Amino acid sequence: MKTLSNVLLVVILTLFCQLDLVAQDDSLNKQIWQSIGGQEKWDSLQFLAFSAKGNTISDQLSNDERKFLFNRTTGACRFDGYKGTDQVTYLFNFKNPGSDKLFIRGNLSADEPELKKSIKNQLFSDLNLLLLPTLIGQKNVQLKSQKESFSAGQKLTIANISSSGPIFGSKIDGLLYIDQNTGEIVRYEYTDKGEKNTYEVSKYKEIGDGIRLPSFFNSTSNDQKSCIFSSISSFVQVEQKKFTEL
């Protein structure tokens, strides 16, 4: 009987610990959502535009500032940037592959498959940073609290973020450092293709309707991976020709 009682005690304590961890993770999710304006506001956002520089992932694209405008619901997207000194506009859909239009120096081009692929990959790379706080809302993403830490006067929660499948083209597996006072992500560590990357995340910007997103990702391991989002805006309505015409 004593052995059975001990087993039951261990089972009960284990269940309580698991429930406590679930409650902690749920509280952390809510804190992150509150830091950017709330999940309901984010879910109602349809059009997003941003300008970015840095963390250029392909030599098909120049290091000049690039611009993206996209419809979160349909996947319709517009890219404006440069390949070398040539101005490029690419109109495509990142959710449903189909008809697209590529303009180079204002002329419609039927070639350049590598350039098109690079632009799409660049979009995914940018969104994995810019939308980092919102990734916790994806069904196949898990956020689990690990421990607490103090750094530069900040009390931080360190949590593991991982996905069971690709998010914007790649799986997620890393650590988030969250300020316990603000709920903001201040540091992001992950490994990509065997290379460890660490970002200091800061300068959250108001983008409309009370939504805030991080705009500065300073790579402490590789300067070329640093990325600045100089402008971020949300829109209720956008002219359809933005996705179909030069």
Side-chain angles (χ1 to χ4, degrees):
M1 290 295 292
K2 188 175 181 180
T3 301
L4 180 59
S5 297
N6 289 338
V7 171
L8 287 173
L9 179 61
V10 170
V11 171
I12 291 171
L13 289 175
T14 301
L15 287 173
F16 272 118
C17 289
Q18 289 177 340
L19 289 172
D20 184 54
L21 289 174
V22 170
Q24 287 180 21
D25 296 340
D26 186 56
S27 175
L28 189 59
N29 276 357
K30 290 179 180 178
Q31 191 178 26
I32 293 174
W33 278 120
Q34 288 172 356
S35 75
I36 65 168
Q39 187 172 4
E40 287 187 6
K41 287 185 178 180
W42 173 252
D43 288 343
S44 66
L45 184 152
Q46 186 168 0
F47 297 97
L48 187 67
F50 64 85
S51 299
K53 190 173 183 179
N55 193 33
T56 306
I57 64 171
S58 169
D59 57 10
Q60 289 282 326
L61 302 173
S62 76
N63 292 320
D64 292 315
E65 190 172 67
R66 57 188 175 272
K67 298 179 181 180
F68 282 102
L69 167 67
F70 65 96
N71 184 325
R72 287 185 61 219
T73 303
T74 67
C77 186
R78 179 189 180 102
F79 165 84
D80 289 289
Y82 290 87
K83 177 185 179 183
T85 58
D86 294 336
Q87 189 169 6
V88 174
T89 296
Y90 185 34
L91 311 175
F92 63 100
N93 191 302
F94 67 88
K95 284 188 176 182
N96 303 302
S99 61
D100 58 7
K101 293 180 181 179
L102 176 68
F103 297 90
I104 300 177
R105 299 187 303 276
N107 299 313
L108 188 62
S109 173
D111 299 318
E112 302 283 353
E114 286 301 314
L115 176 58
K116 292 179 179 181
K117 181 179 178 181
S118 295
I119 292 172
K120 291 177 181 178
N121 288 340
Q122 185 66 61
L123 172 65
F124 291 156
S125 179
D126 288 344
L127 293 183
N128 269 317
L129 294 181
L130 178 64
L131 306 187
L132 182 60
T134 75
L135 299 185
I136 60 174
Q138 299 284 338
K139 291 181 179 179
N140 59 345
V141 171
Q142 285 189 327
L143 185 70
K144 293 184 177 180
S145 300
Q146 300 290 317
K147 59 181 179 179
E148 293 184 347
S149 175
F150 286 90
S151 177
Q154 287 180 308
K155 188 176 181 181
L156 306 174
T157 296
I158 303 175
N160 174 256
I161 183 171
S162 61
S163 66
S164 57
I167 304 293
F168 296 126
S170 60
K171 273 190 168 184
I172 298 173
D173 188 11
L175 293 176
L176 299 181
Y177 292 68
I178 298 113
D179 188 321
Q180 290 190 5
N181 289 325
T182 64
E184 293 182 354
I185 297 168
V186 298
R187 190 178 179 92
Y188 177 37
E189 296 178 356
Y190 69 99
T191 300
D192 180 34
K193 297 175 182 176
E195 180 184 357
K196 184 177 180 180
N197 298 301
T198 300
Y199 281 112
E200 293 175 348
V201 186
S202 60
K203 299 181 182 177
Y204 279 62
K205 286 187 176 182
E206 178 86 28
I207 69 168
D209 196 29
I211 301 173
R212 303 169 68 246
L213 291 176
S215 67
F216 186 52
F217 291 81
N218 178 42
S219 174
T220 62
S221 48
N222 184 345
D223 285 343
Q224 292 186 344
K225 287 187 172 294
S226 293
C227 189
I228 298 174
F229 295 90
S230 55
S231 67
I232 317 166
S233 303
S234 64
F235 301 94
V236 176
Q237 214 170 14
V238 170
E239 292 181 350
Q240 185 58 32
K241 66 179 183 180
K242 285 284 187 180
F243 302 108
T244 59
E245 300 177 18
L246 184 61

